[in-house]
Amino acid sequence: MYSVFKDFSTFKRNKMELKDKLLSSYVAFENRVDTNSDVHEIRSQALENFEELGFPTRKLEAWKYTSLNTVLKQDYSLFPNTERAIELVDVKQYFIHEIDSYKVVFIDGKYSSFLSQTTHEHYDVCLMSSALSNAKYKPVIDKYFNKIAKQDNLTSLNTAFAVEGAYIHIPKNTEVKKPIQIINFTTGSEAATMVQPRNLVVVGENAHVQIIERHQSLTSNAVLTNVVTEIFADKAANIDYYKIQDDEITASLVDNSYIEQQSNSVVSVHTFSFGGNITRNNLNFYQKGEHIDSILKGITIIEGKQHVDHHTLVHHIEPNCESHQDYKGIYDERSTGVFNGKVIVEKEAQKTNAYQQNNNVLVSDKATINAKPQLEIFADDVKCSHGCTIGQLDEDALFYMQQRGIPQKEGRALLMFAFANTVLESVRIPEVKQRITKLIANKLNVNIGFDL
Amino acid sequence: MLKIENLNAEIDGKAILKGLNLEVNPGEVHAIMGPNGAGKSTMANVIAGKEEYEVTAGTIELNGEDISELAPEERAHNGVFLSFQYPVEIPGVSVTNFIKTAINESRKAQGLEEMPAKDMLKKIREKSELLEIDRKFLGRSLNEGFSGGEKKRNEIFQMAMLEPKLAILDETDSGLDIDALRIVANGVNKLKSKDNAVIVITHYQRLLDYIVPDFVHVLHDGKIVKTGDASLALELEAKGYDWIKQELV
């Protein structure tokens, strides 16, 4: 007699790896887009790249300190279908609503005309989907789309599925009168959602624009955002860009930004990382002319098990250019920070001035910061400096403040705010500065004005 | 106002104060003198509540309430002010905003509303004039890059703003030239009233020419070993401390 054993393991549903899921869903994706286009050629090529490279692992030098393993285990819905209605009153707090602005808003990856305010007058502040499909925009798309984005793992993945995002084109000698806010909401209509916005910003000669970008989850359901933004600054253009990252603990973000600058242009990017689950910022500057200024600044304040990783690159290719980096980090509890700042100065890039500063405060002895400046200098007549500090709050300063009647919690907050304040000084939109100040006060759990 | 009885305190296991007694009444000025290492600064820090010091015995009463278990800010809210021997530099926080925060946090602790901006400005103007402080100075980061004299003057400016009941001046005269000393002493004298008290810790008689003490105490090896009037300071200046040590034997 044989006893009958059933092999239950065959009944266990094998959850598909996210990579396989993405690859196998590509056919469905292709049903929704125009496959007979130049752009789709680019997408298909990118998919091949991703298929070959896969998701980054800690074996890669660039991902040594950041593991996506737990994030990738979620069973993400790739094309969330149900578009949930959002009332303005529920999300107003995520806008810098004190100012008049253009708004390009997406909900679960889909454009929300209700929450947006776009324009085609004088300049284009509109949608990537229409720019990709409308013949009128083809020359710009042909010239700029996916031209500076790296052909690496996550950027390729974004390119493969690129269909929606903000499209901003400012012709030369034009000043955009009010800031542009790009906001991506996820509603959590699915248990887990993956979104991949794709933004393109082309700013003509001597044109000027200010942009605020935010990714915001509205529930505690898991979210993975893999965003790619390409920014082109033509001669003497001025771009002032702010990234506000203050998301739910279940939301992870990989932000891949690529910026190409021509002569005499100034591009400044401020990144405010106040948490989420895992936040990875890949911020890349390529200087393709002379007398360029690139400004990279950031404030990171996190706690719990939050993780923020800043990977910056400034590639000095031509002579007489500058770059200024100033990143401040405050880490509490078991949070982890990474700062990897790479500066490459090519042989031709004489008279380069490159400054990099990265200062960190570990509030808790369980918090970690991995700081790694990387300078590769091939020119001989340059000024390059980098400074990195890791410290605790000054106990003597704290006692001094307490002696004057400022309680310990408020004293700590004041010290931390003062520490981070050098980054806020260069914020040129007062309402953004106010908002960030308020977010910092919230983050530090104090109710003081910080009007230092 | 202040009543210290049998105060014993140590730092890192090392006993510094060994049975200190001191009583200060409203309206009085007390000078604490004594050789280096006698425990003068420790006394000031222990009264202010610095946590590194451990009180192993004795009591510190302020207006009848034992304050020895209170946090430093609570003592400040009760009217204790310490002018630091070495004021700490706080980059990124201006003098004005520091003092605003200090005043409003104290008011908050007392259940009061924040001081209206107009009143605050008026008070800042008054007190900075009293101490001959330039307006530009108030916009600078607290103590950052200040000269020794500027730091001390800034301490007394904060004292003027906070109007404490008990002010402890820890070697406020060190590093001051004669003009600055006069300005600082003048400031302290103007703030003196029948309701508040001042403890002046100093090495030198010089400051006591300007801030005339009612009592002079000699602190030696963690306790007060001799008390007299202003003339004791002159005697110490002339003869040094050795004769007191010998008297003790």
Side-chain angles (χ1 to χ4, degrees), chain A residues 225-269:
Chain A
T225 301
N226 178 39
V227 55
V228 171
T229 304
E230 289 180 284
I231 299 171
F232 295 85
D234 207 339
K235 287 179 195 137
N238 192 315
I239 304 176
D240 191 20
Y241 205 110
Y242 301 93
K243 291 172 185 285
I244 302 177
Q245 302 169 346
D246 184 24
D247 213 342
E248 295 288 329
I249 186 67
T250 46
S252 293
L253 169 68
V254 180
D255 179 315
N256 309 279
S257 295
Y258 302 92
I259 295 141
E260 184 179 284
Q261 291 184 252
Q262 301 297 331
S263 294
N264 298 300
S265 63
V266 179
V267 177
S268 143
V269 177

Short mmCIF file of all heavy atoms in Angstrom, two decimals, chain A residues 225-269:
data_model
loop_
_atom_site.label_atom_id
_atom_site.label_comp_id
_atom_site.label_asym_id
_atom_site.label_seq_id
_atom_site.Cartn_x
_atom_site.Cartn_y
_atom_site.Cartn_z
N THR A 225 8.44 54.82 -6.32
CA THR A 225 8.52 55.78 -7.40
C THR A 225 9.92 55.74 -7.99
O THR A 225 10.90 55.84 -7.26
CB THR A 225 8.22 57.21 -6.88
OG1 THR A 225 6.92 57.23 -6.31
CG2 THR A 225 8.29 58.23 -8.01
N ASN A 226 9.98 55.57 -9.30
CA ASN A 226 11.27 55.60 -10.00
C ASN A 226 11.17 56.68 -11.06
O ASN A 226 10.68 56.45 -12.15
CB ASN A 226 11.55 54.22 -10.62
CG ASN A 226 12.86 54.19 -11.41
OD1 ASN A 226 13.85 54.78 -10.99
ND2 ASN A 226 12.85 53.51 -12.55
N VAL A 227 11.58 57.88 -10.69
CA VAL A 227 11.36 59.04 -11.56
C VAL A 227 12.66 59.43 -12.27
O VAL A 227 13.75 59.33 -11.69
CB VAL A 227 10.80 60.24 -10.76
CG1 VAL A 227 11.68 60.60 -9.57
CG2 VAL A 227 10.57 61.46 -11.66
N VAL A 228 12.51 59.82 -13.54
CA VAL A 228 13.66 60.35 -14.28
C VAL A 228 13.30 61.74 -14.78
O VAL A 228 12.23 61.96 -15.34
CB VAL A 228 14.05 59.43 -15.47
CG1 VAL A 228 15.09 60.12 -16.36
CG2 VAL A 228 14.58 58.10 -14.96
N THR A 229 14.21 62.69 -14.54
CA THR A 229 14.02 64.05 -15.02
C THR A 229 15.26 64.47 -15.79
O THR A 229 16.37 64.38 -15.27
CB THR A 229 13.81 65.02 -13.83
OG1 THR A 229 12.72 64.55 -13.05
CG2 THR A 229 13.52 66.43 -14.33
N GLU A 230 15.04 64.90 -17.03
CA GLU A 230 16.15 65.44 -17.82
C GLU A 230 15.96 66.94 -17.92
O GLU A 230 14.87 67.43 -18.23
CB GLU A 230 16.15 64.82 -19.22
CG GLU A 230 16.56 63.36 -19.23
CD GLU A 230 16.55 62.78 -20.64
OE1 GLU A 230 15.44 62.52 -21.17
OE2 GLU A 230 17.63 62.62 -21.21
N ILE A 231 17.04 67.67 -17.66
CA ILE A 231 16.96 69.13 -17.65
C ILE A 231 18.06 69.68 -18.54
O ILE A 231 19.24 69.33 -18.38
CB ILE A 231 17.13 69.67 -16.21
CG1 ILE A 231 16.00 69.14 -15.31
CG2 ILE A 231 17.16 71.20 -16.21
CD1 ILE A 231 16.20 69.43 -13.83
N PHE A 232 17.67 70.53 -19.49
CA PHE A 232 18.64 71.14 -20.38
C PHE A 232 18.63 72.65 -20.18
O PHE A 232 17.57 73.28 -20.31
CB PHE A 232 18.32 70.81 -21.84
CG PHE A 232 18.46 69.34 -22.14
CD1 PHE A 232 17.40 68.47 -21.88
CD2 PHE A 232 19.64 68.84 -22.66
CE1 PHE A 232 17.53 67.11 -22.15
CE2 PHE A 232 19.77 67.47 -22.93
CZ PHE A 232 18.71 66.61 -22.68
N ALA A 233 19.78 73.20 -19.87
CA ALA A 233 19.89 74.65 -19.70
C ALA A 233 20.77 75.19 -20.81
O ALA A 233 21.97 74.92 -20.86
CB ALA A 233 20.50 74.98 -18.34
N ASP A 234 20.15 75.95 -21.69
CA ASP A 234 20.92 76.53 -22.80
C ASP A 234 21.74 77.72 -22.28
O ASP A 234 21.67 78.05 -21.09
CB ASP A 234 19.96 76.94 -23.93
CG ASP A 234 20.65 76.93 -25.30
OD1 ASP A 234 21.90 77.00 -25.33
OD2 ASP A 234 19.94 76.85 -26.32
N LYS A 235 22.45 78.38 -23.19
CA LYS A 235 23.36 79.46 -22.77
C LYS A 235 22.66 80.49 -21.89
O LYS A 235 21.57 80.96 -22.21
CB LYS A 235 23.92 80.18 -24.00
CG LYS A 235 24.94 79.35 -24.74
CD LYS A 235 25.45 80.10 -25.96
CE LYS A 235 26.17 79.14 -26.89
NZ LYS A 235 25.83 79.34 -28.29
N ALA A 236 23.30 80.85 -20.79
CA ALA A 236 22.83 81.90 -19.88
C ALA A 236 21.44 81.63 -19.31
O ALA A 236 20.79 82.55 -18.81
CB ALA A 236 22.86 83.26 -20.57
N ALA A 237 20.99 80.41 -19.40
CA ALA A 237 19.69 80.08 -18.80
C ALA A 237 19.85 80.01 -17.28
O ALA A 237 20.95 79.81 -16.77
CB ALA A 237 19.19 78.75 -19.33
N ASN A 238 18.73 80.18 -16.60
CA ASN A 238 18.76 80.13 -15.14
C ASN A 238 17.63 79.24 -14.65
O ASN A 238 16.45 79.52 -14.89
CB ASN A 238 18.61 81.55 -14.59
CG ASN A 238 18.91 81.61 -13.11
OD1 ASN A 238 18.46 80.75 -12.33
ND2 ASN A 238 19.67 82.60 -12.70
N ILE A 239 17.99 78.16 -13.99
CA ILE A 239 16.98 77.21 -13.51
C ILE A 239 17.15 77.04 -11.99
O ILE A 239 18.25 76.79 -11.50
CB ILE A 239 17.12 75.83 -14.19
CG1 ILE A 239 17.04 76.00 -15.72
CG2 ILE A 239 16.05 74.87 -13.69
CD1 ILE A 239 17.25 74.70 -16.48
N ASP A 240 16.04 77.23 -11.30
CA ASP A 240 16.04 77.16 -9.85
C ASP A 240 15.06 76.05 -9.46
O ASP A 240 13.85 76.20 -9.63
CB ASP A 240 15.57 78.54 -9.34
CG ASP A 240 15.78 78.69 -7.85
OD1 ASP A 240 16.59 77.96 -7.27
OD2 ASP A 240 15.12 79.59 -7.27
N TYR A 241 15.58 74.93 -8.98
CA TYR A 241 14.77 73.72 -8.85
C TYR A 241 14.74 73.25 -7.40
O TYR A 241 15.78 73.20 -6.75
CB TYR A 241 15.39 72.62 -9.73
CG TYR A 241 14.46 71.54 -10.19
CD1 TYR A 241 14.09 71.43 -11.53
CD2 TYR A 241 13.96 70.57 -9.31
CE1 TYR A 241 13.24 70.42 -11.97
CE2 TYR A 241 13.11 69.57 -9.74
CZ TYR A 241 12.76 69.49 -11.08
OH TYR A 241 11.92 68.49 -11.52
N TYR A 242 13.54 72.92 -6.90
CA TYR A 242 13.41 72.47 -5.52
C TYR A 242 12.73 71.12 -5.46
O TYR A 242 11.67 70.93 -6.07
CB TYR A 242 12.59 73.49 -4.70
CG TYR A 242 13.21 74.86 -4.72
CD1 TYR A 242 12.83 75.81 -5.67
CD2 TYR A 242 14.22 75.19 -3.82
CE1 TYR A 242 13.44 77.05 -5.71
CE2 TYR A 242 14.83 76.42 -3.85
CZ TYR A 242 14.43 77.36 -4.80
OH TYR A 242 15.04 78.59 -4.84
N LYS A 243 13.32 70.20 -4.75
CA LYS A 243 12.70 68.90 -4.56
C LYS A 243 12.31 68.77 -3.09
O LYS A 243 13.17 68.88 -2.21
CB LYS A 243 13.69 67.78 -4.92
CG LYS A 243 14.01 67.72 -6.42
CD LYS A 243 15.14 66.74 -6.68
CE LYS A 243 15.57 66.74 -8.14
NZ LYS A 243 14.63 66.04 -9.03
N ILE A 244 11.03 68.55 -2.84
CA ILE A 244 10.56 68.41 -1.46
C ILE A 244 10.18 66.95 -1.25
O ILE A 244 9.26 66.43 -1.88
CB ILE A 244 9.35 69.33 -1.19
CG1 ILE A 244 9.75 70.78 -1.47
CG2 ILE A 244 8.88 69.17 0.26
CD1 ILE A 244 8.61 71.78 -1.30
N GLN A 245 10.91 66.29 -0.37
CA GLN A 245 10.68 64.86 -0.13
C GLN A 245 10.30 64.67 1.33
O GLN A 245 11.16 64.76 2.21
CB GLN A 245 11.96 64.07 -0.47
CG GLN A 245 12.38 64.31 -1.93
CD GLN A 245 13.76 63.77 -2.26
OE1 GLN A 245 14.55 63.44 -1.39
NE2 GLN A 245 14.05 63.69 -3.56
N ASP A 246 9.03 64.49 1.57
CA ASP A 246 8.55 64.35 2.95
C ASP A 246 7.36 63.40 2.89
O ASP A 246 6.22 63.80 2.97
CB ASP A 246 8.14 65.72 3.50
CG ASP A 246 7.73 65.64 4.95
OD1 ASP A 246 8.16 64.70 5.64
OD2 ASP A 246 6.97 66.52 5.40
N ASP A 247 7.65 62.13 2.71
CA ASP A 247 6.60 61.19 2.34
C ASP A 247 6.27 60.21 3.46
O ASP A 247 6.89 60.22 4.53
CB ASP A 247 7.04 60.42 1.08
CG ASP A 247 5.85 60.07 0.19
OD1 ASP A 247 4.71 60.10 0.68
OD2 ASP A 247 6.08 59.74 -0.98
N GLU A 248 5.29 59.37 3.19
CA GLU A 248 4.89 58.33 4.15
C GLU A 248 6.04 57.34 4.34
O GLU A 248 6.85 57.13 3.44
CB GLU A 248 3.66 57.58 3.61
CG GLU A 248 2.40 58.42 3.48
CD GLU A 248 1.79 58.75 4.83
OE1 GLU A 248 1.92 57.93 5.75
OE2 GLU A 248 1.20 59.84 4.95
N ILE A 249 6.03 56.68 5.48
CA ILE A 249 7.09 55.74 5.82
C ILE A 249 7.05 54.49 4.92
O ILE A 249 8.00 53.72 4.82
CB ILE A 249 7.02 55.35 7.32
CG1 ILE A 249 8.19 54.47 7.75
CG2 ILE A 249 5.71 54.67 7.67
CD1 ILE A 249 9.50 55.17 7.71
N THR A 250 5.94 54.32 4.19
CA THR A 250 5.80 53.18 3.29
C THR A 250 6.13 53.53 1.84
O THR A 250 5.97 52.71 0.94
CB THR A 250 4.34 52.68 3.34
OG1 THR A 250 3.49 53.82 3.25
CG2 THR A 250 4.07 51.92 4.62
N ALA A 251 6.57 54.75 1.61
CA ALA A 251 6.83 55.19 0.24
C ALA A 251 8.33 55.32 -0.01
O ALA A 251 9.04 55.95 0.76
CB ALA A 251 6.15 56.53 -0.02
N SER A 252 8.79 54.67 -1.08
CA SER A 252 10.21 54.77 -1.45
C SER A 252 10.35 55.51 -2.76
O SER A 252 9.45 55.47 -3.61
CB SER A 252 10.82 53.37 -1.58
OG SER A 252 10.85 52.75 -0.31
N LEU A 253 11.46 56.17 -2.90
CA LEU A 253 11.67 57.02 -4.06
C LEU A 253 13.08 56.85 -4.59
O LEU A 253 14.05 56.91 -3.83
CB LEU A 253 11.45 58.49 -3.66
CG LEU A 253 11.86 59.57 -4.68
CD1 LEU A 253 10.95 59.55 -5.90
CD2 LEU A 253 11.83 60.95 -4.03
N VAL A 254 13.18 56.61 -5.91
CA VAL A 254 14.48 56.73 -6.57
C VAL A 254 14.35 57.87 -7.55
O VAL A 254 13.53 57.82 -8.47
CB VAL A 254 14.88 55.43 -7.30
CG1 VAL A 254 16.25 55.61 -7.97
CG2 VAL A 254 14.91 54.25 -6.34
N ASP A 255 15.09 58.93 -7.30
CA ASP A 255 15.01 60.13 -8.14
C ASP A 255 16.28 60.19 -8.97
O ASP A 255 17.39 60.30 -8.44
CB ASP A 255 14.89 61.36 -7.24
CG ASP A 255 14.85 62.66 -8.04
OD1 ASP A 255 15.66 62.81 -8.98
OD2 ASP A 255 14.03 63.53 -7.72
N ASN A 256 16.11 60.09 -10.29
CA ASN A 256 17.25 60.17 -11.20
C ASN A 256 17.16 61.47 -11.98
O ASN A 256 16.25 61.63 -12.81
CB ASN A 256 17.23 58.99 -12.20
CG ASN A 256 17.07 57.66 -11.49
OD1 ASN A 256 18.02 57.09 -10.98
ND2 ASN A 256 15.82 57.16 -11.45
N SER A 257 18.04 62.40 -11.70
CA SER A 257 17.98 63.69 -12.39
C SER A 257 19.27 63.94 -13.16
O SER A 257 20.36 63.72 -12.64
CB SER A 257 17.75 64.83 -11.40
OG SER A 257 16.48 64.70 -10.81
N TYR A 258 19.11 64.40 -14.38
CA TYR A 258 20.25 64.63 -15.27
C TYR A 258 20.16 66.04 -15.79
O TYR A 258 19.13 66.44 -16.34
CB TYR A 258 20.24 63.63 -16.42
CG TYR A 258 20.26 62.19 -15.96
CD1 TYR A 258 19.08 61.49 -15.75
CD2 TYR A 258 21.47 61.55 -15.69
CE1 TYR A 258 19.09 60.17 -15.30
CE2 TYR A 258 21.50 60.24 -15.24
CZ TYR A 258 20.31 59.55 -15.05
OH TYR A 258 20.33 58.26 -14.60
N ILE A 259 21.23 66.79 -15.61
CA ILE A 259 21.20 68.20 -15.98
C ILE A 259 22.37 68.53 -16.88
O ILE A 259 23.53 68.28 -16.53
CB ILE A 259 21.26 69.08 -14.71
CG1 ILE A 259 19.99 68.83 -13.88
CG2 ILE A 259 21.38 70.56 -15.06
CD1 ILE A 259 20.21 68.78 -12.41
N GLU A 260 22.05 69.05 -18.06
CA GLU A 260 23.11 69.47 -18.97
C GLU A 260 23.09 70.98 -19.09
O GLU A 260 22.03 71.58 -19.32
CB GLU A 260 22.90 68.84 -20.35
CG GLU A 260 24.04 69.17 -21.31
CD GLU A 260 23.82 68.52 -22.68
OE1 GLU A 260 24.04 67.30 -22.80
OE2 GLU A 260 23.42 69.24 -23.61
N GLN A 261 24.25 71.60 -18.89
CA GLN A 261 24.31 73.05 -18.92
C GLN A 261 25.23 73.55 -20.02
O GLN A 261 26.32 73.00 -20.24
CB GLN A 261 24.85 73.58 -17.58
CG GLN A 261 23.91 73.40 -16.42
CD GLN A 261 24.46 74.02 -15.15
OE1 GLN A 261 24.88 73.31 -14.24
NE2 GLN A 261 24.48 75.35 -15.08
N GLN A 262 24.77 74.62 -20.71
CA GLN A 262 25.62 75.31 -21.69
C GLN A 262 26.22 76.55 -21.04
O GLN A 262 25.88 76.90 -19.90
CB GLN A 262 24.80 75.68 -22.93
CG GLN A 262 24.15 74.50 -23.65
CD GLN A 262 25.15 73.50 -24.22
OE1 GLN A 262 26.28 73.86 -24.56
NE2 GLN A 262 24.74 72.22 -24.29
N SER A 263 27.10 77.23 -21.79
CA SER A 263 27.88 78.34 -21.24
C SER A 263 27.05 79.38 -20.50
O SER A 263 25.93 79.70 -20.91
CB SER A 263 28.63 79.06 -22.37
OG SER A 263 29.59 78.17 -22.91
N ASN A 264 27.61 79.88 -19.40
CA ASN A 264 27.02 80.97 -18.62
C ASN A 264 25.68 80.64 -17.98
O ASN A 264 24.99 81.53 -17.50
CB ASN A 264 26.87 82.24 -19.47
CG ASN A 264 28.21 82.75 -19.95
OD1 ASN A 264 29.08 83.08 -19.15
ND2 ASN A 264 28.40 82.78 -21.26
N SER A 265 25.30 79.40 -17.99
CA SER A 265 24.03 79.06 -17.35
C SER A 265 24.25 78.81 -15.86
O SER A 265 25.35 78.48 -15.43
CB SER A 265 23.42 77.82 -18.00
OG SER A 265 24.27 76.71 -17.82
N VAL A 266 23.17 78.99 -15.10
CA VAL A 266 23.20 78.72 -13.66
C VAL A 266 22.06 77.77 -13.34
O VAL A 266 20.90 78.07 -13.62
CB VAL A 266 23.04 80.00 -12.83
CG1 VAL A 266 23.07 79.67 -11.34
CG2 VAL A 266 24.11 81.02 -13.18
N VAL A 267 22.38 76.62 -12.79
CA VAL A 267 21.32 75.70 -12.38
C VAL A 267 21.54 75.34 -10.92
O VAL A 267 22.64 74.96 -10.51
CB VAL A 267 21.29 74.41 -13.23
CG1 VAL A 267 20.22 73.46 -12.70
CG2 VAL A 267 21.04 74.74 -14.69
N SER A 268 20.47 75.54 -10.15
CA SER A 268 20.57 75.24 -8.74
C SER A 268 19.49 74.23 -8.36
O SER A 268 18.33 74.37 -8.75
CB SER A 268 20.42 76.57 -7.99
OG SER A 268 19.70 76.40 -6.82
N VAL A 269 19.87 73.18 -7.66
CA VAL A 269 18.90 72.18 -7.21
C VAL A 269 19.02 72.02 -5.69
O VAL A 269 20.09 71.71 -5.17
CB VAL A 269 19.15 70.80 -7.87
CG1 VAL A 269 18.18 69.75 -7.33
CG2 VAL A 269 19.01 70.89 -9.39
#
